[in-house]
């Protein structure tokens, strides 16, 4: 909503020294988002005057039409002689009054005017268009032609109101009343503590039975309809300058007098209106729902096929307007030159002469119906914008009266005595609220007197003492319950005055253990150099194909959405990897080649046993049984953690050579996640898409006493890398956090630091090539007994000396006792026991034995 400050002053007696910035500083704390204050005419300097065209000489020797004119500017040029000017516009003639800028003047943007030679003549100034003066589009397509009554030499800066300030307010959906000068003026008056001159306070004649007939077939869609008729309009009458300028400053283009007046009243009071040419309306005006497939040509010249839910204005022929959105072309106001719509010969003759009789419509329509119609037809308008945000239903009669008054004043018309009002019975909305409720919401003691005063300022009627009965004004449809009233009190008292206090949670509450684990996992991965990404949880068949999943893979069984955001991704993800691969590809394509990304989130794994839930009620809280059926219809949603890596894991520098990412880094990321839950993972070779079959590790943990697969890690298969466009040797890991959490049931304990020295024993065991190192490590750990502190694989060797199909695994065994220093014999005995169990279980033999 654009609000000219000069127009605002008509309703509120602001101090003369107040600027637009000052008003902005008052309105923003009150909740109105004043985005900018536009300074119209900033830097503009005269002389800029009214002139009369005396002669026009057509210069035909140039490629484009050029005119050499002499213009009478009175004494404004200091000589009284006609001013010689060059102009290319064609929309004026000898005798017309125009706006002339003389040498020495400065237009907006610092454009200085001086005499200059052009087209073989000297132009002493310029005849101005509305665009050159920063007035906006006036529809003329050329220079400004003024009405003949203005005297030559009149200051055009003041006449055209070129200097002003305009507040541009972003009106939120709950404050539809601020889409009018009336609404903004009320907020301004409250902010300054001044009185308001309400433009809707007019003497309106009572309805009678001899107005234009109106029939409402849908009182829910239209609960208030006022019709007034004005006859004897002068079809040659044009909008005065003050009216045009106010519309232009508010961001609207002047069209014709009748249309300009309805737009002006809409901006002033907030009530959208429509004017019909009465000679083109046949029979009664009606309001009903459209018939499916019915057609209507709107004012923009588009033939629209109507929906059965559309609310339309009709006459005896059918629809003549899309209610609350846009009028129809068949009843368009004619200005004496333009004829719209198919007409009979007599009607066409009347239209050619111009409209002399109009029927004014001021109605209140259902906001939801109007919003849906505007979106259905992709036809947003100033009227629909207001209706869908809430229009004062009681303002219709006043707006119609204001329109009638302006038509009589400016077009020489006569108001017919007939007044039609069709009103559906409805009472005011009342809210019962404790007087101290705003105090408890804000944490401040406002007191009853302040609460009552603030509510009365916004137009509420307040009764009662400790319990207030508040009658909400008709223009505030957003005030529906007690917290809305509390918000009004708080915003008018100033949000900036609210104290900053920290909430005090009750003892014993806070994050759950599961939430703490998820946060620890995120911090641990971030500390290891990973960057978190959040990807959309949607996938498609193409992405699953790129992963190389088999036809019977459980990850292909996905939840399909009825209304997906994109047809290419209609399913909920069953793995986090597609989203991470996409993020890796995008960042690599933008020049970031050394990447380590992670994501934690839900995946959706249907079991096939889900049932369609019953529709839950909306008039009451669902019962526990109903909520249980809803939960039973949901797929299993385990939380997972996944990482992807590419490029260098360790950078090269003066400290030495770097190291590229490999499959072991992905395995280490899984160990990092599991360590936060106090879980040790067992790593074994595996084959599982989308990993490389020779570089894929299965991750196991003990869950509820059973060895359970919790995830996979390793290097991504080359075919998957090619399909996704990933860097070579990309590695990835994915594991199920819920299973890791269940595996880590014991509380985390800090490591105990022993005061006794460690005894280290190294062993190299030769086993068959297909024996997993994890099995050997597990056997060594169990055989060594309680003295073993840790076991670590530090070397893998293969060679001809070991024999075909054999490998050597070298382990470092650390032994320590809690209460003494171990002897060499004790450490050696523990080592021998470990080797013996490994030999028994895996066939291992000591290398060199």
């Amino acid at each position: 909503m654009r609000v000219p400050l000069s127009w605002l002053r008509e309703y509120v007696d602001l101090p003369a020294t107040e600027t637009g910035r000052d008003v902005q500083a008052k309105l923003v704390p009150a909740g109105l988002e004043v985005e900018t204050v536009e300074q119209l005419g900033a830097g503009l300097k005269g002389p800029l005057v009214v002139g009369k065209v005396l002669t026009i000489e057509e210069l035909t020797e140039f490629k484009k039409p050029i005119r050499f004119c002499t213009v009478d500017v009175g004494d404004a040029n200091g000589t009284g002689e006609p001013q010689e000017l060059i102009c290319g516009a064609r929309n004026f003639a000898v005798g017309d009054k125009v706006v002339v800028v003389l040498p020495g003047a400065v237009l907006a943007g610092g454009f200085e005017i001086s005499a200059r030679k052009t087209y073989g003549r000297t132009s002493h100034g310029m005849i101005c268009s509305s665009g050159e003066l920063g007035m906006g589009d006036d529809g003329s397509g050329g220079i400004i032609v003024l009405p003949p009554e203005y005297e030559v030499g009149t200051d055009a800066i003041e006449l055209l109101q070129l200097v002003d300030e305009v507040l541009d307010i972003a009106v939120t959906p709950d404050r539809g009343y601020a889409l009018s000068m009336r609404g903004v003026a009320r907020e301004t008056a409250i902010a300054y503590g001044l009185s308001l001159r309400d433009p809707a306070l007019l003497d309106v004649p009572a309805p009678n039975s001899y107005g234009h007939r109106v029939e409402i077939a849908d009182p829910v869609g239209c609960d208030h309809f006022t019709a007034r008729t004005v006859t004897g309009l002068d079809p040659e009458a044009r909008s005065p300058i003050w009216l045009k300028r106010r519309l232009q400053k508010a961001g609207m283009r002047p069209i014709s007098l009748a249309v300009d007046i309805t737009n002006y009243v809409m901006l002033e009071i907030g009530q959208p209106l429509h004017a019909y040419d009465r000679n083109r309306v046949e029979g009664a005006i009606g309001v009903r729902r459209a018939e499916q497939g019915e057609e209507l040509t709107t004012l923009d010249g588009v033939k629209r096929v109507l929906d059965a839910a559309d609310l339309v204005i009709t006459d005896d022929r059918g629809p003549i307007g899309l209610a609350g959105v846009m009028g129809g072309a068949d009843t368009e106001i004619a200005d004496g030159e333009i004829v719209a719509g198919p007409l009979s010969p007599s009607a066409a003759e009347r239209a050619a002469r111009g409209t002399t009789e109009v029927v004014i419509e001021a109605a209140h329509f259902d906001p939801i119906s109007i919003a849906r119609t505007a979106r259905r037809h992709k036809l947003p308008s100033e009227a629909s914008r207001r209706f869908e945000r809430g229009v004062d239903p009681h303002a219709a009669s006043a707006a119609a009266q204001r329109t009638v008054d302006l038509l009589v004043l400016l077009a020489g018309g006569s108001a017919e005595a007939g007044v039609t009002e069709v009103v559906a019975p409805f009472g005011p909305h009342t809210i019962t609220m404790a007087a101290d409720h705003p105090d408890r919401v804000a944490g401040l003691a406002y007191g009853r007197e302040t609460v009552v005063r603030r509510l009365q300022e916004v137009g509420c009627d307040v009764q009662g003492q400790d319990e207030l009965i508040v009658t909400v004004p008709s223009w505030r449809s957003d005030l529906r319950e007690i917290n809305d009233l509390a918000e009004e009190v708080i915003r008018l008292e100033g949000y900036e005055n609210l104290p900053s206090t920290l909430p005090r949670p009750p003892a014993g509450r806070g994050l759950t253990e599961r939430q703490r684990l998820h946060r620890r996992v995120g911090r641990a991965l971030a500390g290891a150099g990973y960057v978190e990404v959040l990807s959309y949880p949607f996938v498609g068949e193409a992405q699953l194909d790129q992963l190389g999943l088999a036809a019977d893979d459980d990850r292909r069984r996905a939840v399909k959405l009825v209304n997906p955001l994109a047809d290419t991704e209609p399913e909920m993800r069953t793995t986090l990897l597609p989203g991470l691969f996409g993020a890796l590809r995008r960042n690599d394509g933008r020049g970031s080649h050394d990447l380590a990304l992670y994501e934690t989130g839900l995946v959706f794994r249907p079991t096939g046993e889900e049932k369609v839930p019953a529709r839950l009620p909306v008039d009451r809280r669902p019962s526990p049984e109903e909520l249980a059926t809803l939960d039973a219809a949901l797929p299993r949603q385990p939380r997972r953690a996944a990482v992807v890596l590419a490029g260098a894991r360790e950078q090269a520098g003066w400290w030495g050579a770097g190291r590229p990412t490999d499959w072991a880094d992905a395995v280490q990321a899984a160990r990092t996640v599991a360590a936060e839950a106090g879980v040790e993972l067992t790593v074994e070779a595996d084959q599982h898409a989308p990993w490389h079959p020779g570089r894929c590790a299965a991750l196991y943990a003990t869950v509820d006493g059973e060895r359970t697969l919790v995830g996979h890690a390793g290097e991504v298969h080359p075919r998957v890398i090619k399909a996704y466009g990933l860097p070579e040797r990309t590695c990835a890991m994915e594991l199920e956090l819920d299973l890791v959490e269940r595996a880590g049931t014991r509380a985390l304990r800090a490591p105990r630091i022993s005061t006794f020295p460690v005894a280290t024993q190294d062993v190299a065991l030769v086993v068959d090539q297909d024996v997993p190192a994890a099995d050997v490590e597990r056997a060594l750990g169990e055989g060594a007994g309680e003295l073993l502190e840790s076991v670590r694989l530090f070397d893998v060797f293969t060679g001809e000396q070991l024999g075909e199909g054999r490998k050597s695994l070298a382990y470092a065994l650390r032994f320590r006792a809690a209460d003494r220093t171990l002897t060499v014999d004790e450490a050696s005995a523990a080592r021998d026991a470990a080797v013996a169990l490994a030999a028994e279980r895996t066939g291992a033999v000591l290398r060199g034995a």
Side-chain angles (χ1 to χ4, degrees), residues 324-342:
V325 179
M326 185 175 286
D330 287 350
T331 55
E332 181 180 6
I333 299 294
D335 63 0
E337 298 175 359
I338 300 173
V339 180

Side-chain angles (χ1 to χ4, degrees), residues 20-21 60 71-73 120 122 286 315 508 527 539 652 718 784:
R21 296 289 183 189
T60 59
V71 182
D72 180 10
V73 294
T122 300
D315 65 3
V539 295

Side-chain angles (χ1 to χ4, degrees), residues 156-462:
I157 295 179
E158 181 177 351
L159 174 67
L160 300 178
Q161 305 171 23
L162 298 180
V163 179
D164 201 352
E165 293 180 275
V166 178
L167 286 71
D168 193 350
I169 302 176
V171 179
T172 53
D174 61 329
R175 298 197 181 276
Y177 68 91
L179 288 171
S180 66
M181 295 299 302
R182 180 194 187 200
V184 176
R186 179 176 284 104
E187 292 295 328
T188 305
I190 295 172
Y192 278 90
L194 300 172
S195 59
L196 168 71
R197 287 187 291 273
D198 191 342
L201 293 180
L202 300 174
D203 291 331
V204 179
N208 50 56
S209 60
Y210 41 93
H212 196 101
R213 190 157 56 91
V214 174
E215 298 174 351
I216 308 296
D218 189 344
V220 175
C222 177
D223 56 22
H224 194 134
F225 195 109
T226 297
R228 300 289 300 275
T229 303
V230 181
T231 61
L233 299 177
D234 180 5
E236 301 298 326
R238 296 292 180 261
S239 300
I241 289 176
W242 66 266
L243 179 58
K244 289 183 176 181
R245 289 298 293 134
R246 286 191 172 177
L247 291 176
Q248 288 175 323
K249 292 176 185 178
M252 301 188 77
R253 181 172 65 88
I255 298 174
S256 64
L257 179 57
V259 176
D260 291 348
I261 288 175
T262 57
N263 286 336
Y264 177 84
V265 175
M266 177 184 68
L267 291 172
E268 182 179 50
I269 297 179
Q271 168 67 52
L273 303 110
H274 192 73
Y276 301 94
D277 187 333
R278 188 167 78 164
N279 293 323
R280 302 173 71 178
V281 176
E282 298 182 7
I285 293 178
V287 181
R288 61 168 171 82
R289 297 290 171 175
E291 297 177 5
Q292 188 68 38
E294 215 169 7
E295 293 184 346
L296 169 68
T297 301
T298 47
L299 287 173
D300 57 359
V302 177
K303 179 178 288 187
R304 303 183 184 276
V305 179
L306 304 180
D307 187 90
D310 293 334
L311 200 65
V312 293
I313 310 296
T314 65
D315 65 3
D316 290 349
R317 295 167 298 174
I320 60 173
L322 205 52
V325 179
M326 185 175 286
D330 287 350
T331 55
E332 181 180 6
I333 299 294
D335 63 0
E337 298 175 359
I338 300 173
V339 180
L343 302 176
S344 64
S346 59
E349 182 182 353
R350 290 194 300 270
R353 293 197 303 267
T355 298
T356 59
E357 299 179 356
V358 298
V359 177
I360 305 299
E361 165 211 309
H364 182 261
F365 301 110
D366 174 52
I368 296 177
S369 175
I370 300 305
R372 288 175 176 169
T373 295
R375 284 157 179 75
R376 186 181 298 115
H377 294 282
K378 297 180 175 60
L379 189 62
S381 65
E382 291 291 337
S384 66
R385 184 174 172 226
R386 285 164 173 79
F387 276 124
E388 64 188 43
R389 284 166 172 77
V391 169
D392 181 3
H394 291 171
S397 301
Q401 182 62 45
R402 176 69 165 146
T403 304
V404 168
D405 292 343
L406 288 173
L407 284 172
V408 170
L409 175 67
L410 301 177
S414 300
E416 285 195 350
V419 177
T420 302
E421 275 198 24
V422 179
V423 182
F426 63 93
H429 179 59
T430 60
I431 303 172
T432 300
M433 178 185 73
D436 64 344
H437 180 71
D439 301 14
R440 288 186 277 113
V441 171
L444 284 176
Y446 293 125
R448 179 188 179 279
E449 290 74 14
T450 299
V451 171
V452 172
R453 174 171 56 84
R454 288 304 191 184
L455 292 178
Q456 289 175 338
E457 285 177 345
V458 299
C460 296
D461 179 65
V462 185

